[in-house]
Amino acid sequence: MVGSKHPWKAWLYLSPAIILLLIFTVWPIINTVRMAFLEGYNSMAVAGGAKFEIGISNFTNVIKYKGFINCLTNTMLLCVLTVPISTILALVISVCLNAIKPLRRMLQTIFFLPYVTNSIAIGMVFAAMFNMVGNNFGRPNEILITAGIINNIIEFFGGEAINWINVGSTKLANMTVMVIYIVWNALPFKILVLLGGLQSVNKQYYDAAKVDGTSRFRTFTRITVPLLSPMITYVVITGFIGGFKEYSSIVGIFGEKMGPPGTNQSTNLNTMVGFIYDNLTNQQGRASAAALILFGIIFVVTMLNLHISKKNTHY
């Protein structure tokens, strides 16, 4: 056989992929760890021949930085709020789609569209939907407010327009917009995974439940959810990982300031990934330390999810 007589051929065929992985995956990880423990590391200083001592000052500088707590709090809030909501909605929608035979494929395609759309472009659309713009149209004594579609809907039902993302808006309003956007953007992938799991469930379980006269709610909680528990665990874990890496959606709505005009680093919606990007230009050591801290948080949360799910997951 080729595998036993000529193993070098397999290595030869795999060598392009292995080389690319070493260059673009393995080495960046090793280099990130190296830079994190070089105190005050800066690539421009390295070009000038500077030497750096090994230490943990980059980690302490990250923790002491005035905007770090805000970034960590925003990241944790987005994860805690969006993952449960998006998972529950995806489960309900998947069950509904699985029960619909006509137009099922068309509806699956519609629900999957956000997943293949650029997140920055979607963020700009959401910004326009929630926007509220003042314009005097050449009349200095009169200011006309142009409300986005969301405020138009609120006013149509008798409510008052809300300042969601503009100057003077509250952090609660900003966070509400972000939760709505992230949940909407996360639904397609979760629906795809859960719907695939539903379609692989043995129909005999449901037939037996019908014979016993089991209610739909009990069938859902006692049959559907347990049989989907591996998929639910998967989407929850990947949801937390994606939530901790949230960045582009906030940029899409609020721009590089990561918040309404007038906010600063201690009050905007910057996240851990945004904090890393902010320090990449001049403080690569601090950015690397922040990346390792983020990795540690994601690792701990993932391990906790796996430990909790062991008791409730049925394979």
Side-chain angles (χ1 to χ4, degrees):
M1 294 177 63
V2 175
S4 58
K5 293 182 179 179
H6 306 285
W8 61 270
K9 287 187 177 181
W11 288 107
L12 180 64
Y13 298 147
L14 289 173
S15 59
I18 293 174
I19 292 171
L20 290 175
L21 284 173
L22 289 173
I23 294 174
F24 295 105
T25 302
V26 177
W27 167 244
I29 294 174
I30 296 173
N31 194 39
T32 298
V33 176
R34 181 183 69 88
M35 290 189 297
F37 288 95
L38 293 177
E39 297 189 352
Y41 181 87
N42 188 311
S43 59
M44 298 299 294
V46 170
K51 301 294 183 181
F52 302 95
E53 296 181 357
I54 297 175
I56 60 171
S57 64
N58 289 324
F59 294 91
T60 57
N61 288 335
V62 169
I63 296 173
K64 292 178 180 178
Y65 187 69
K66 62 180 181 180
F68 173 75
I69 297 300
N70 180 56
C71 295
L72 182 60
T73 303
N74 291 335
T75 304
M76 297 292 291
L77 274 175
L78 289 175
C79 288
V80 171
L81 293 174
T82 60
V83 174
I85 295 173
S86 60
T87 303
I88 294 171
L89 284 177
L91 181 59
V92 173
I93 293 172
S94 300
V95 172
C96 294
L97 283 176
N98 192 52
I100 299 174
K101 292 184 179 180
L103 304 177
R104 179 190 295 175
R105 294 187 180 276
M106 184 186 74
L107 291 173
Q108 289 177 4
T109 304
I110 292 173
F111 276 105
F112 193 68
L113 283 177
Y115 189 71
V116 295
T117 307
N118 183 274
S119 58
I120 297 294
I122 298 175
M124 295 174 67
V125 172
F126 266 73
M129 291 170 59
F130 285 91
N131 205 3
M132 181 187 289
V133 181
N135 196 330
N136 60 10
F137 296 100
R139 289 167 289 188
N141 296 324
E142 183 179 355
I143 298 179
L144 301 178
I145 300 297
T146 303
I149 186 173
I150 301 300
N151 278 325
N152 286 332
I153 294 173
I154 293 174
E155 291 177 341
F156 177 79
F157 287 100
E160 294 184 1
I162 300 173
N163 185 4
W164 295 102
I165 60 175
N166 298 98
V167 179
S169 59
T170 63
K171 194 166 185 176
L172 177 61
N174 300 158
M175 191 65 71
T176 301
V177 174
M178 290 312 310
V179 168
I180 294 172
Y181 167 70
I182 294 172
V183 167
W184 182 81
N185 197 35
L187 280 177
F189 176 74
K190 295 183 178 183
I191 291 173
L192 181 68
V193 173
L194 295 175
L195 188 59
L198 279 170
Q199 293 175 348
S200 64
V201 171
N202 193 331
K203 300 298 184 288
Q204 291 180 354
Y205 294 109
Y206 296 109
D207 294 337
K210 288 181 181 178
V211 172
D212 292 338
T214 309
S215 64
R216 290 186 177 181
F217 179 77
R218 189 170 178 83
T219 300
F220 175 76
T221 56
R222 296 296 182 177
I223 297 177
T224 302
V225 173
L227 291 176
L228 283 181
S229 56
M231 293 78 177
I232 294 173
T233 300
Y234 172 74
V235 297
V236 167
I237 291 175
T238 55
F240 272 106
I241 294 173
F244 277 110
K245 297 189 297 182
E246 200 62 56
Y247 173 71
S248 59
S249 58
I250 302 174
V251 173
I253 293 179
F254 293 100
E256 294 181 358
K257 297 294 184 181
M258 304 288 283
T263 56
N264 53 44
Q265 295 174 341
S266 60
T267 58
N268 62 13
L269 292 180
N270 200 3
T271 60
M272 287 295 294
V273 175
F275 178 86
I276 294 169
Y277 281 139
D278 291 341
N279 289 275
L280 274 179
T281 305
N282 300 317
Q283 296 289 338
Q284 288 86 2
R286 184 187 295 175
S288 300
L292 291 184
I293 292 173
L294 179 60
F295 169 77
I297 295 172
I298 293 175
F299 180 79
V300 171
V301 172
T302 302
M303 291 299 104
L304 287 174
N305 279 323
L306 288 173
H307 178 71
I308 294 171
S309 64
K310 282 182 179 179
K311 299 178 180 179
N312 303 313
T313 304
H314 305 276
Y315 293 98

